[in-house]
Every structure is written in structure tokens, then in C-alpha cells.
Amino acid sequence: MTLDSIHTPADLKKLSRDELPALADELRHFVLDSVSKTGGHLSSNLGTVELSIALHYVFDTPADRIVWDVGHQSYPHKILTGRREQMKTLRQFDGLAGFPRRSESEYDAFGTGHSSTSISAAMGMARAFQTLGEHQVAVAVIGDSAMTGGMAFEAMNNAGVYDDLPLVVILNDNDMSISPAVGALNRHLARLLSGNIYSATKKGIDSVLSIAPPLREFAKRLEDHAKGMVSPSTIFQEFGFNYFGPIDGHDLDALVPMLQNVRRLAIEGRGPQFLHVVTRKGQGYELAEADPVLYHGPSKFNPDEGVQKPSTPPNKTFTQVFGEWLCDMAHADPLLIGITPAMREGSGLVEFEKQFPNRYYDVGIAEQHAVTFAAGMACEGMKPVVAIYSTFLQRAYDPIVHDIALQNLPVTFCMDRAGLSPNDGATHHGLFDISYLRCVPGIVAMQPKDEDELCDMLHTSLALNGPGFIRYPRGAAVGTAIKQTPKKLEIGKAEIVKDGKEIFIWALGPMVEEAFKAANLLEKQFGILVGIVNPRFIKPIDKALLLTQAASSALLVTMEDHVVTGGFGSSVLEILQDNNCSTPVERIGWPDQFVEHGSSVSILRKAHGLSSEAIVEKISKRFSALTRK
Ligand SMILES: Cc1ncc(C[n+]2csc(CCOP(=O)(O)OP(=O)(O)O)c2C)c(N)n1
């Protein structure tokens, strides 16, 4: 077994070129076997097996830096850089991360998870090498969909003017995002692969020649110019990169010499190099090749059988409920528009696209654009609904402030994955949106306790005259029946879900269930009478109810699936302070630190003092300290 003998890229370099294809086979089997046991990203990693081998074979890693865009395709790289044994711990608590992390290995040159950062980061490294007089190369490996992110082009634009920059950009073109790739760049790449662009231009020139023979010389020059401008290399060359490709990314005999070539050019100071590599998502595992979307990020499965549907369908997820509501509403309202930045499946828009193809927009991995595009739609009287993960909305903060809120435009934001994305970890948890949204004037922000209330909130938001934000977590909702017709909620009005006296818990979203558990225990164990409020509105908060309850109780507790820093509990504190109310507040939420990955929410809750027992202990301690005085 060759793979067993590879602990570092130095071991890999001892192999002859002829031995590499066999290694690729082993590595591919290992990736499949390993991911089928742990769950994780599969199709993309099957597609980068040869590329990872060739990169570590040719480049002088870790001195040369490899930055994996998104990083979901970095498992073969992890395996080749000493982490093969640890792959069984992938995405589990204290185990390997699902993305590159600087703290995990010296070979992980840059931490990723959110897309389109690799060229900027690698360019920064390349400029630093030059400034420090180091002879190293920085490599960005970026997918064709990650390339649709604006940042990638901002970096290309900046990098292209440095004629001696030791930067290599590798475009890993598999014609797929999570779902099928979209946009004009995708069309350009497709035409470029088929060679259509240049031949179309040449045809145009031939007709110029036949009409005006004296212009032959000019036309020849035009042809040369056209080759540079619109031949397959165009867009990247025009940015100032040396373009190579497209080459077969599964052919090590093509990859190795090509990478040797671009590395030499980069290190010799011949400027930024761009290599266009064509790969196949799911390569080598038939089921994933046939359905790369299903195998993008599967849970554990048996590779012989493939991913199976669960025999008993679990409760609907919040995502599904949102998707169904959107279709229902779209039937009733022709102005409704659905927008996703490249997350059709994850955001529940598959059915909406089928039913309303003309009102569905996958804008690519382009969160900023998605939000401002929605703003433009809203200006013209359309009713845009932006379906976006809480974590990715971070990318669009200025558009929210500057384009949406400042102009008070009626756009509904459906923020999925608010709370933990446990296996993905710190890059993907949606733990900051309350803090970053609640300071924005004029917005309405909500979180439902169950799926029926989600529909009410969606309905409420759609009827607003300004922006509405609804956050909900990943996974199954609580199983509440959804009424036939959603109702409009009174803005800023909370719901008392349990009466009480000594303590009132204001629990957001899924924390209502936790609050009930805590209240039961507190009443049983300590005889404390605990009331529970479902705030519904994060902004504006039901001040009247809050102040009334604060005045009549010994302790207020806030519970949120969010960081405590600047979160919902903080806004409760501010309101009490501003109203000279000194009732203490126990804020329960995630601590002021980046929360790591783990195989389940409960493991991470336990690790951070947020298990049901720990919550009860916190509350009872605080309460008894207060009442003892
Ligand atoms: C800013 C941001 N938005 C969305 C995502 C979710 N996401 C992860 S991978 C992916 C598709 C990436 O496609 P591509 O770059 O072509 O790589 P491939 O999966 O095809 O190998 C998306 C949309 C993300 N990671 N970051």
C-alpha cells in the first residue's frame, strides 16, 4: 500500500511519476471509505484527488502555500499531509476540521470555509514573500463557482498589475456549484472548453476579409488581437495573468509537467499564472458522478448501496416549511421573487425553481449582489425573498445597511442555519446575526418557536413596508401542525407561553423548548415559579411586557441560540438600564469565542455549559444568590 507510506509530501516526492496514478486510486478509495463512515463533503474531494497529489508532488509545501478556496475539497490534501489516521475523527468534537485550519497543520496555509477568499489571501502571501525576499510561491485553488464571488475578481483585478508576483491561480472547473453552476462566467468557461469563442471570432474576420480585401493586414492584426481578447484565454489574460489550459485535472501526466511549468514561471518572477483545470465532481464513484448534488455533503452511508432515504420521514425541517410557504405564496402573489446565492438545496428552493423558473434567481456565490439585487427589485414594487444562511449573510452586511435598511426597502430575509452548523464548525455557525442586525435602524427581526409561527412570521414580513429578517435553525422543526392560513403578527408583541412569578425566561426560537425543560426542573427541584415568554420579535422587543415582568420578578433570564455578546440578552439589558430597572438578567447563549465543530449540537452545548442541566444550575445559583441577600 503506497498511501500508508505517505506521511508528508516529502514521501510523495520519493515516488516516480509512474507510481502516481496507482496512488491516486488508493487515495480515492480511502476518501470514499472514510467519508462514508464519518459523513462530510464527498463529490468535490473525489474530484481533487489527482490535483492534490500533483500539487504536493510539484510544489515545495509547506514553504509554498496552497490556499484551498472554500476548503471543502481539501480532504485529499489533509490525507497527504500527515492526517490520514485522523480522518476517522473528521468533523467530530476534537477531531479534524472539515475545512483547512492554520492551527491544524502547517500545510493549511489559510483557513477557509466561506468561498472566494483564496486569491486575495494567496496574493497577500505572494506580496509578503516579495517584500521579505523569500523565494516561495502562493497557490490559490478555486472552483468555478467560488470564482463567481466578487472577491475573486477584486483579487484578480489587483493581482494582475504586479508583473512579478509569485502567484498561481488554479481554476478547478467541474461545471458545478453545489447545484448546477450558473452565470455568464459559467457560459464563458463552457464556450472556452468547446473552443467556440475563438472560432466564432475567426469566422467574423473571414467575412471582413472577403468584403474588403485591402484590409487584409488590418484584419490579420485584428485577428491576433481577437485571439488575445476573446480566445479561450481571454478573461483571465486580460486581467494580466498568464493563462494555461484547459487541461484534464485527472490526468497526472498532464498535471505534473504543467504545474512544474507554472511554478517555474511564478518563481522566476514572470508574474501571476492561471491554470485552468477541468475535473469531474464525484470522479471514480459512479453514484456521485451521476448525482454530485446528493453526494456534495452526505451523512454516513454504505458505499455499496449509496445514500438511502430514511424509512420514517422525520418532522419537516424549517427549511422545508419555508420552501413550501414560498411556493404557496408565489401562487397567490405574482410579485413574489425567490433569490438564493448558490444555495438552492440548502435553502429549500428546489421546488420553487421548478414551479416558478422565471421568478427564481440563483445569483451564484454572490451574497452582496443577492441583497442589492433584491433591493433593486423592491424599488420597482416586486416582493423579493432572499433565502440565505445566517453565516453567509455576513458577506452582505453593507448592502443590508446601505442598500436595504437606509432606503427602508421591503425585502424579506430568510436566514437559515441560524444557530449551530455543528459538523462544519466555526466558519458556518450562524451565531452573530442578532448582534450585527439589531443595531441597524428600522428593521424588524424575528425568530419563530415552531414551524407554524415561521409561516406567520413570513406572512408578517411580506406585509411590512420595510426590511424583515427571520432566523431559524437547521434541522427538524418541532412538529406543530401548520394552520391553513398564516396570520399576521402584531409587530413587537411577545407571547407568554407559561405563566410564572419569580423568574421569567425570555427564550428565542428553539430555546423555548429548553426553557420548558429548565422551568420544570426549577419548579420540581427548587419550587421556583418560572414563567416563559416567546419574544417572537428580536427587534422591536416587547418593552411593555418586559418592563412589567422585570418589575414583578427577582430574575430575568434570556436564552438564545446566538453569542451572548451583543445578542438578544444584551438588548434586554439595555432596555432595563434605559428604564432604570435594576432587575438582574442572566444571559444564556454561546460564549464570546469561536465555537468549534462537533458531531451534534448537544455535544457542543455540553462543552460550553449549555446543556439543560447546566442551564438549570446557572439559573438556580443566580436565583438563590439573589434571594439569599
Ligand atoms: C460565501 C459562501 N457562500 C456559500 C457557500 C456554500 N458553498 C460551499 S461549497 C459551494 C459550491 C462551491 O462550488 P465550486 O467552487 O465550484 O466547488 P465544487 O464544489 O464544485 O468543487 C457553496 C455554494 C460558501 N461556502 N461560502
Side-chain angles (χ1 to χ4, degrees):
M1 296 288 271
T2 317
L3 189 59
D4 288 349
S5 65
I6 309 246
H7 305 290
T8 66
D11 298 326
L12 176 63
K13 288 182 169 80
K14 287 181 203 148
L15 301 181
S16 71
R17 283 254 300 269
D18 299 346
E19 291 173 291
L20 297 184
L23 176 70
D25 281 348
E26 266 188 68
L27 182 52
R28 179 161 280 114
H29 277 109
F30 188 91
V31 168
L32 175 59
D33 184 57
S34 173
V35 175
S36 70
K37 290 188 175 118
T38 58
H41 289 104
L42 183 62
S43 325
S44 303
N45 283 293
L46 293 175
T48 50
V49 165
E50 287 81 7
L51 186 57
S52 307
I53 291 175
L55 278 166
H56 284 294
Y57 194 67
V58 170
F59 284 83
D60 181 20
T61 55
D64 287 342
R65 316 287 193 217
I66 302 178
V67 182
W68 296 92
D69 208 287
V70 181
H72 64 312
Q73 76 295 54
S74 63
Y75 302 175
H77 152 87
K78 291 197 180 213
I79 295 164
L80 294 171
T81 53
R83 287 167 275 180
R84 189 182 66 251
E85 273 301 311
Q86 290 158 273
M87 280 298 286
K88 46 173 136 16
T89 69
L90 188 77
R91 292 156 47 101
Q92 294 153 44
F93 192 63
D94 275 342
L96 282 189
F99 299 96
R101 281 211 316 202
R102 282 167 60 82
S103 58
E104 192 176 285
S105 163
E106 60 179 333
Y107 292 94
D108 289 2
F110 198 71
T112 46
H114 287 201
S115 98
S116 318
T117 60
S118 62
I119 306 179
S120 300
M123 179 190 169
M125 291 167 186
R127 282 303 286 167
F129 296 153
Q130 290 185 296
T131 311
L132 299 170
E134 316 274 6
H135 291 282
Q136 291 157 249
V137 178
V139 183
V141 184
I142 182 164
D144 54 303
S145 180
M147 194 76 208
T148 61
M151 244 182 115
F153 284 94
E154 291 169 31
M156 295 281 291
N157 181 50
N158 190 200
V161 295
Y162 292 95
D163 292 338
D164 53 357
L165 193 66
L167 171 70
V168 174
V169 173
I170 298 179
L171 175 66
N172 175 24
D173 179 4
N174 56 21
D175 195 25
M176 283 294 289
S177 183
I178 293 179
S179 34
V182 296
L185 178 71
N186 177 256
R187 277 198 208 165
H188 178 74
L189 294 176
R191 284 163 70 203
L192 198 149
L193 291 193
S194 66
N196 275 349
I197 296 177
Y198 173 62
S199 50
T201 315
K202 179 115 180 28
K203 231 165 132 195
I205 289 166
D206 286 346
S207 59
V208 169
L209 287 177
S210 61
I211 298 164
L215 290 178
R216 193 177 297 272
E217 187 48 36
F218 171 72
K220 175 76 184 66
R221 269 193 280 132
L222 183 67
E223 180 180 3
D224 290 345
H225 182 62
K227 270 191 211 162
M229 251 182 53
V230 289
S231 76
S233 55
T234 3
I235 189 169
F236 310 110
Q237 272 191 326
E238 290 301 313
F239 270 111
F241 281 67
N242 229 352
Y243 172 91
F244 296 92
I247 63 164
D248 179 352
H250 300 300
D251 179 358
L252 282 152
D253 288 334
L255 276 174
V256 169
M258 191 56 99
L259 287 174
Q260 283 166 336
N261 191 30
V262 292
R263 181 175 191 275
R264 182 182 51 77
L265 291 170
I267 211 130
E268 283 174 0
R270 309 273 286 275
Q273 311 294 318
F274 193 101
L275 175 59
H276 183 178
V277 166
V278 178
T279 60
R280 180 168 187 156
K281 228 168 152 164
Q283 170 80 8
Y285 179 49
E286 248 174 59
L287 293 171
E289 283 183 19
D291 192 348
V293 178
L294 181 65
Y295 288 87
H296 181 84
S299 309
K300 294 177 198 181
F301 66 98
N302 176 344
D304 296 328
E305 292 171 6
V307 172
Q308 305 291 314
K309 280 211 175 98
S311 44
T312 43
N315 285 347
K316 278 186 187 161
T317 61
F318 282 101
T319 312
Q320 282 171 313
V321 173
F322 158 68
E324 287 169 15
W325 170 85
L326 194 68
C327 290
D328 289 350
M329 277 303 121
H331 280 292
D333 188 343
L335 297 178
L336 193 140
I337 300 292
I339 300 170
T340 171
M343 298 301 285
R344 181 182 69 181
E345 280 74 18
S347 297
L349 295 186
V350 172
E351 192 54 35
F352 180 80
E353 183 194 13
K354 275 190 203 144
Q355 292 188 26
F356 303 96
N358 297 329
R359 292 199 260 155
Y360 165 81
Y361 292 89
D362 175 351
V363 299
I365 310 185
E367 287 80 8
Q368 286 191 74
H369 164 63
V371 172
T372 305
F373 169 65
M377 283 262 180
C379 285
E380 301 308 323
M382 307 302 283
K383 295 184 187 163
V385 174
V386 181
I388 192 162
Y389 285 17
S390 159
T391 188
F392 300 140
L393 191 61
Q394 290 165 197
R395 273 284 165 90
Y397 191 55
D398 190 56
I400 289 170
V401 176
H402 177 269
D403 301 327
I404 300 277
L406 186 56
Q407 310 190 87
N408 197 35
L409 290 170
V411 174
T412 290
F413 291 88
C414 297
M415 294 186 291
D416 206 315
R417 297 339 188 243
L420 292 196
S421 217
N423 304 101
D424 288 327
T427 54
H428 282 59
H429 296 321
L431 292 178
F432 305 119
D433 58 88
I434 296 180
S435 310
Y436 71 67
L437 286 175
R438 77 180 184 86
C439 58
V440 180
I443 66 150
V444 172
M446 303 171 250
Q447 179 159 11
K449 67 176 185 307
D450 59 32
E451 53 269 60
D452 182 50
E453 198 167 61
L454 171 63
C455 294
D456 291 344
M457 287 182 177
L458 291 161
H459 202 62
T460 307
S461 181
L462 210 60
L464 289 172
N465 286 324
F469 294 82
I470 304 157
R471 73 189 303 266
Y472 44 88
R474 169 188 148 128
V478 293
T480 311
I482 300 173
K483 59 184 165 303
Q484 195 73 27
T485 319
K487 69 167 192 256
K488 249 193 261 169
L489 300 170
E490 186 181 333
I491 304 296
K493 188 101 181 110
E495 177 197 30
I496 297 172
V497 285
K498 181 182 178 307
D499 288 325
K501 202 168 166 212
E502 292 151 293
I503 296 177
F504 285 101
I505 304 179
W506 283 53
L508 268 183
M511 299 310 279
V512 168
E513 211 178 321
E514 276 302 321
F516 269 104
K517 282 189 208 159
N520 283 340
L521 284 174
L522 286 164
E523 288 185 0
K524 263 194 213 134
Q525 289 180 4
F526 306 100
I528 307 169
L529 297 176
V530 182
I532 301 173
V533 172
N534 164 27
R536 284 184 172 155
F537 291 86
I538 295 160
K539 183 173 183 161
I541 294 185
D542 190 338
K543 273 188 204 167
L545 180 65
L546 184 67
L547 292 172
T548 310
Q549 291 192 340
S552 67
S553 59
L555 175 66
L556 282 178
V557 177
T558 57
M559 285 191 191
E560 58 197 302
D561 203 7
H562 187 272
V563 286
V564 283
T565 329
F568 179 73
S570 300
S571 52
V572 165
L573 275 178
E574 287 166 17
I575 292 168
L576 298 190
Q577 164 73 23
D578 291 349
N579 289 276
N580 300 318
C581 175
S582 58
T583 308
V585 180
E586 180 69 36
R587 287 175 300 147
I588 292 172
W590 294 95
D592 183 15
Q593 69 187 72
F594 287 107
V595 176
E596 64 282 67
H597 54 275
S599 48
S600 68
V601 171
S602 58
I603 285 175
L604 291 167
R605 280 198 179 289
K606 199 159 176 215
H608 290 278
L610 292 171
S611 65
S612 304
E613 300 75 38
I615 288 175
V616 167
E617 199 185 325
K618 240 183 222 172
I619 300 174
S620 62
K621 265 194 184 157
R622 183 85 186 255
F623 183 75
S624 58
L626 287 167
T627 44
R628 236 185 282 128
K629 271 185 212 163

